[in-house]
PDB file of all heavy atoms in Angstrom:
ATOM      1  N   GLY A  79     -14.104  -1.311  -0.126  1.00 64.00           N
ATOM      2  CA  GLY A  79     -13.895  -1.201  -1.524  1.00 64.00           C
ATOM      3  C   GLY A  79     -13.159   0.147  -1.839  1.00 64.00           C
ATOM      4  O   GLY A  79     -12.326   0.596  -1.164  1.00 64.00           O
ATOM      5  N   ASP A  80     -13.620   0.747  -2.970  1.00 65.00           N
ATOM      6  CA  ASP A  80     -12.959   1.952  -3.542  1.00 65.00           C
ATOM      7  C   ASP A  80     -13.130   3.103  -2.537  1.00 65.00           C
ATOM      8  O   ASP A  80     -12.229   3.917  -2.425  1.00 65.00           O
ATOM      9  CB  ASP A  80     -13.643   2.317  -4.859  1.00 65.00           C
ATOM     10  CG  ASP A  80     -13.240   1.368  -6.010  1.00 65.00           C
ATOM     11  OD1 ASP A  80     -12.300   0.626  -5.713  1.00 65.00           O
ATOM     12  OD2 ASP A  80     -13.944   1.296  -7.029  1.00 65.00           O
ATOM     13  N   ARG A  81     -14.275   3.130  -1.852  1.00 70.00           N
ATOM     14  CA  ARG A  81     -14.490   4.260  -0.864  1.00 70.00           C
ATOM     15  C   ARG A  81     -13.452   4.273   0.193  1.00 70.00           C
ATOM     16  O   ARG A  81     -12.980   5.309   0.591  1.00 70.00           O
ATOM     17  CB  ARG A  81     -15.901   4.213  -0.300  1.00 70.00           C
ATOM     18  CG  ARG A  81     -16.281   5.475   0.373  1.00 70.00           C
ATOM     19  CD  ARG A  81     -17.736   5.439   0.804  1.00 70.00           C
ATOM     20  NE  ARG A  81     -18.081   6.754   1.494  1.00 70.00           N
ATOM     21  CZ  ARG A  81     -19.114   6.953   2.225  1.00 70.00           C
ATOM     22  NH1 ARG A  81     -20.025   5.975   2.353  1.00 70.00           N
ATOM     23  NH2 ARG A  81     -19.388   8.074   2.766  1.00 70.00           N
ATOM     24  N   LEU A  82     -13.123   3.082   0.704  1.00 75.00           N
ATOM     25  CA  LEU A  82     -12.053   3.022   1.724  1.00 75.00           C
ATOM     26  C   LEU A  82     -10.730   3.411   1.194  1.00 75.00           C
ATOM     27  O   LEU A  82     -10.010   4.127   1.925  1.00 75.00           O
ATOM     28  CB  LEU A  82     -11.971   1.543   2.312  1.00 75.00           C
ATOM     29  CG  LEU A  82     -10.902   1.302   3.301  1.00 75.00           C
ATOM     30  CD1 LEU A  82     -11.129   2.115   4.565  1.00 75.00           C
ATOM     31  CD2 LEU A  82     -10.861  -0.147   3.712  1.00 75.00           C
ATOM     32  N   HIS A  83     -10.449   3.138  -0.018  1.00 72.00           N
ATOM     33  CA  HIS A  83      -9.134   3.362  -0.596  1.00 72.00           C
ATOM     34  C   HIS A  83      -8.974   4.849  -0.983  1.00 72.00           C
ATOM     35  O   HIS A  83      -7.916   5.372  -1.245  1.00 72.00           O
ATOM     36  CB  HIS A  83      -8.761   2.489  -1.803  1.00 72.00           C
ATOM     37  CG  HIS A  83      -8.382   1.124  -1.364  1.00 72.00           C
ATOM     38  ND1 HIS A  83      -7.066   0.845  -0.974  1.00 72.00           N
ATOM     39  CD2 HIS A  83      -9.075  -0.008  -1.245  1.00 72.00           C
ATOM     40  CE1 HIS A  83      -7.001  -0.447  -0.640  1.00 72.00           C
ATOM     41  NE2 HIS A  83      -8.172  -0.956  -0.778  1.00 72.00           N
ATOM     42  N   ARG A  84     -10.132   5.602  -0.999  1.00 75.00           N
ATOM     43  CA  ARG A  84     -10.047   6.999  -1.256  1.00 75.00           C
ATOM     44  C   ARG A  84      -9.739   7.837   0.039  1.00 75.00           C
ATOM     45  O   ARG A  84      -9.497   9.011  -0.031  1.00 75.00           O
ATOM     46  CB  ARG A  84     -11.354   7.531  -1.856  1.00 75.00           C
ATOM     47  CG  ARG A  84     -11.610   7.150  -3.285  1.00 75.00           C
ATOM     48  CD  ARG A  84     -12.674   7.972  -3.944  1.00 75.00           C
ATOM     49  NE  ARG A  84     -13.976   7.794  -3.422  1.00 75.00           N
ATOM     50  CZ  ARG A  84     -14.802   6.915  -3.860  1.00 75.00           C
ATOM     51  NH1 ARG A  84     -14.520   6.122  -4.892  1.00 75.00           N
ATOM     52  NH2 ARG A  84     -16.003   6.824  -3.287  1.00 75.00           N
ATOM     53  N   VAL A  85      -9.809   7.148   1.157  1.00 85.00           N
ATOM     54  CA  VAL A  85      -9.426   7.753   2.402  1.00 85.00           C
ATOM     55  C   VAL A  85      -7.894   8.017   2.446  1.00 85.00           C
ATOM     56  O   VAL A  85      -7.124   7.079   2.204  1.00 85.00           O
ATOM     57  CB  VAL A  85      -9.885   6.930   3.647  1.00 85.00           C
ATOM     58  CG1 VAL A  85      -9.360   7.493   4.944  1.00 85.00           C
ATOM     59  CG2 VAL A  85     -11.393   6.765   3.684  1.00 85.00           C
ATOM     60  N   HIS A  86      -7.531   9.217   2.817  1.00 90.00           N
ATOM     61  CA  HIS A  86      -6.041   9.475   3.008  1.00 90.00           C
ATOM     62  C   HIS A  86      -5.553   8.722   4.260  1.00 90.00           C
ATOM     63  O   HIS A  86      -6.069   8.932   5.298  1.00 90.00           O
ATOM     64  CB  HIS A  86      -5.728  10.994   3.053  1.00 90.00           C
ATOM     65  CG  HIS A  86      -4.331  11.238   3.362  1.00 90.00           C
ATOM     66  ND1 HIS A  86      -3.363  11.233   2.417  1.00 90.00           N
ATOM     67  CD2 HIS A  86      -3.726  11.536   4.551  1.00 90.00           C
ATOM     68  CE1 HIS A  86      -2.213  11.472   2.967  1.00 90.00           C
ATOM     69  NE2 HIS A  86      -2.396  11.624   4.314  1.00 90.00           N
ATOM     70  N   LEU A  87      -4.552   7.947   4.108  1.00 93.00           N
ATOM     71  CA  LEU A  87      -4.031   7.193   5.253  1.00 93.00           C
ATOM     72  C   LEU A  87      -2.500   7.244   5.229  1.00 93.00           C
ATOM     73  O   LEU A  87      -1.866   6.911   4.154  1.00 93.00           O
ATOM     74  CB  LEU A  87      -4.507   5.707   5.175  1.00 93.00           C
ATOM     75  CG  LEU A  87      -4.109   4.812   6.374  1.00 93.00           C
ATOM     76  CD1 LEU A  87      -4.839   5.186   7.617  1.00 93.00           C
ATOM     77  CD2 LEU A  87      -4.407   3.331   5.992  1.00 93.00           C
ATOM     78  N   GLU A  88      -1.895   7.633   6.322  1.00 96.00           N
ATOM     79  CA  GLU A  88      -0.437   7.660   6.339  1.00 96.00           C
ATOM     80  C   GLU A  88      -0.004   7.292   7.786  1.00 96.00           C
ATOM     81  O   GLU A  88      -0.742   7.483   8.735  1.00 96.00           O
ATOM     82  CB  GLU A  88       0.078   9.059   6.019  1.00 96.00           C
ATOM     83  CG  GLU A  88      -0.340  10.097   7.066  1.00 96.00           C
ATOM     84  CD  GLU A  88       0.300  11.510   6.714  1.00 96.00           C
ATOM     85  OE1 GLU A  88      -0.126  12.111   5.642  1.00 96.00           O
ATOM     86  OE2 GLU A  88       1.096  11.957   7.393  1.00 96.00           O
ATOM     87  N   GLN A  89       1.302   6.788   7.833  1.00 97.00           N
ATOM     88  CA  GLN A  89       1.790   6.493   9.186  1.00 97.00           C
ATOM     89  C   GLN A  89       2.123   7.754   9.947  1.00 97.00           C
ATOM     90  O   GLN A  89       2.641   8.727   9.392  1.00 97.00           O
ATOM     91  CB  GLN A  89       3.085   5.640   9.081  1.00 97.00           C
ATOM     92  CG  GLN A  89       2.870   4.204   8.898  1.00 97.00           C
ATOM     93  CD  GLN A  89       4.139   3.411   9.075  1.00 97.00           C
ATOM     94  OE1 GLN A  89       5.026   3.763   9.782  1.00 97.00           O
ATOM     95  NE2 GLN A  89       4.167   2.209   8.389  1.00 97.00           N
ATOM     96  N   LEU A  90       1.700   7.740  11.203  1.00 98.00           N
ATOM     97  CA  LEU A  90       1.871   8.873  12.121  1.00 98.00           C
ATOM     98  C   LEU A  90       3.076   8.798  12.923  1.00 98.00           C
ATOM     99  O   LEU A  90       3.925   9.665  13.035  1.00 98.00           O
ATOM    100  CB  LEU A  90       0.599   9.085  12.954  1.00 98.00           C
ATOM    101  CG  LEU A  90       0.640  10.117  14.068  1.00 98.00           C
ATOM    102  CD1 LEU A  90       0.841  11.516  13.503  1.00 98.00           C
ATOM    103  CD2 LEU A  90      -0.570  10.027  14.953  1.00 98.00           C
TER     104      LEU A  90
END
Side-chain angles (χ1 to χ4, degrees):
D80 290 340
R81 193 174 179 193
L82 177 62
H83 283 278
R84 286 199 295 268
V85 174
H86 174 80
L87 184 72
E88 66 178 68
Q89 278 194 26
L90 172 63

